[in-house]
């Protein structure tokens, strides 16, 4: 009866001090071999394997759902993804991630840029940074005393809204109408619904914003 002799471990996989198997070196060598073998696969075989995995024959055949309306299909990007061997599902995942992560970031940056432009307009309107600083404090005091917080927040987010606040303050009428006044309850509710419309907070439609601002001005002045 013969006994199996232990397999000899190559020196490069041995720990020089203990003689134990170095699993990290073995794994590294295996991955390098696997990569080399994959590069040896003929082009035709690669194309066949990619097709079996789900990659279409051409980039034009990618069926991408962009019904969210945030952006359109990018043919150039699809061609690059096709060259990388992406399946239909993987390409859809790329678009979905862009909608989830990148677009909100771009909108936030755009909103911040727009806010800076609005402040520049107000500084110019009131004759410089120092005068605007004084007026803005007066407006804040007036709005805190007379307007609901959500209305103040809405009006202070745009140049037109701040100018409406300024006109209210200058009018100095004795008392702002009560918030729950029955005659205006429906109008106030409608205006708050309009504030949630994408045309107001996302698209910054000038005519739409002006309509909301005028509505608040009529109610609270």
């Amino acid at each position: 009866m013969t006994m199996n002799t232990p397999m000899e471990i190559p020196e490069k996989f041995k720990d020089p001090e203990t003689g134990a198997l170095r699993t990290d070196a073995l794994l590294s060598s295996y991955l390098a071999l696997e990569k080399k073998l994959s590069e040896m696969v003929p082009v035709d075989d690669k194309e066949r394997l990619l097709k079996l995995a789900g990659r279409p024959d051409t980039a034009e055949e990618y069926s991408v759902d962009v019904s969210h309306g945030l952006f359109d299909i990018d043919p150039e990007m699809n061609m690059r993804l096709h060259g990388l061997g992406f399946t239909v599902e993987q390409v859809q995942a790329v678009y979905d991630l862009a909608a989830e992560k990148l677009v909100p970031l771009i909108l936030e940056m755009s909103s911040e840029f727009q806010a800076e432009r609005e402040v520049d307009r107000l500084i110019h309107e009131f004759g410089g940074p120092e005068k605007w600083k004084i007026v803005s404090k007066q407006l804040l005091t007036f709005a805190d005393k007379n307007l609901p917080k959500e209305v103040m927040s809405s009006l202070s987010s745009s140049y037109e809204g701040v100018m409406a606040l300024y006109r209210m303050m200058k009018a100095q009428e004795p008392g702002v109408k009560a918030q729950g006044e029955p005659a205006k309850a429906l109008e106030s509710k409608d205006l708050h619904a309009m504030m949630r419309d994408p045309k107001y907070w996302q698209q910054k439609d000038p005519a739409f914003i002006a309509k909301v601002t005028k509505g608040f001005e009529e109610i609270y002045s």
Side-chain angles (χ1 to χ4, degrees):
M1 182 176 183
T2 60
M3 296 182 63
N4 294 330
T5 57
M7 183 179 293
E8 182 66 24
I9 301 174
E11 291 298 325
K12 65 178 180 179
F13 298 135
K14 284 184 181 180
D15 186 298
E17 295 182 359
T18 65
L21 176 65
R22 291 178 54 209
T23 55
D24 57 335
L26 183 62
L27 177 61
S28 178
S29 180
Y30 171 77
L31 292 175
L33 177 62
E34 187 180 59
K35 181 180 179 182
K36 186 174 181 179
L37 289 174
S38 67
E39 292 173 349
M40 294 171 63
V41 177
V43 174
D44 291 343
D45 288 349
K46 282 186 177 180
E47 292 296 319
R48 181 173 58 82
L49 291 173
L50 287 172
K51 187 171 183 178
L52 287 173
R55 189 191 75 167
D57 291 332
T58 65
E60 289 75 15
E61 294 178 56
Y62 282 129
S63 178
V64 184
D65 179 12
V66 288
S67 57
H68 46 62
L70 296 173
F71 49 76
D72 296 322
I73 294 173
D74 187 329
E76 182 180 352
M77 184 174 74
N78 284 3
M79 288 184 64
R80 294 178 66 180
L81 295 176
H82 187 268
L84 293 171
F86 277 46
T87 66
V88 174
E89 291 77 13
Q90 290 170 332
V91 170
Q92 182 65 58
V94 170
Y95 277 83
D96 291 344
L97 284 171
E100 180 184 348
K101 301 295 183 181
L102 296 181
V103 171
L105 179 61
I106 293 172
L107 290 176
E108 182 180 350
M109 293 173 62
S110 176
S111 178
E112 291 177 356
F113 176 71
Q114 180 65 26
E116 291 179 2
R117 292 185 59 186
E118 300 287 84
V119 171
D120 288 341
R121 289 179 66 189
L122 290 166
I123 290 174
H124 178 75
E125 176 70 30
F126 289 102
E130 291 302 319
K131 290 185 178 179
W132 162 240
K133 186 176 180 179
I134 295 171
V135 172
S136 63
K137 287 182 178 179
Q138 293 172 344
L139 289 173
L140 182 61
T141 301
F142 169 79
D144 278 341
K145 182 179 179 181
N146 295 284
L147 301 177
K149 289 184 178 181
E150 63 271 19
V151 176
M152 173 187 168
S153 176
S154 171
L155 295 181
S156 63
S157 65
S158 68
Y159 170 85
E160 291 79 8
V162 172
M163 294 308 299
L165 277 173
Y166 183 71
R167 289 191 295 270
M168 293 182 203
M169 183 178 71
K170 296 298 287 184
Q172 289 291 320
E173 291 187 1
V176 178
K177 293 180 178 65
Q179 296 181 33
E181 191 173 321
K184 293 293 184 179
L186 181 60
E187 291 183 24
S188 179
K189 181 179 179 181
D190 291 341
L191 289 171
H192 282 80
M194 292 173 70
M195 287 166 57
R196 295 190 293 271
D197 192 298
K199 286 193 292 184
Y200 184 86
W201 61 269
Q202 184 181 66
Q203 300 169 16
K204 305 290 186 182
D205 185 302
F208 197 80
I209 291 175
K211 185 175 181 180
V212 175
T213 300
K214 188 174 186 300
F216 279 123
E217 191 173 1
E218 289 176 351
I219 292 176
Y220 294 105
S221 63

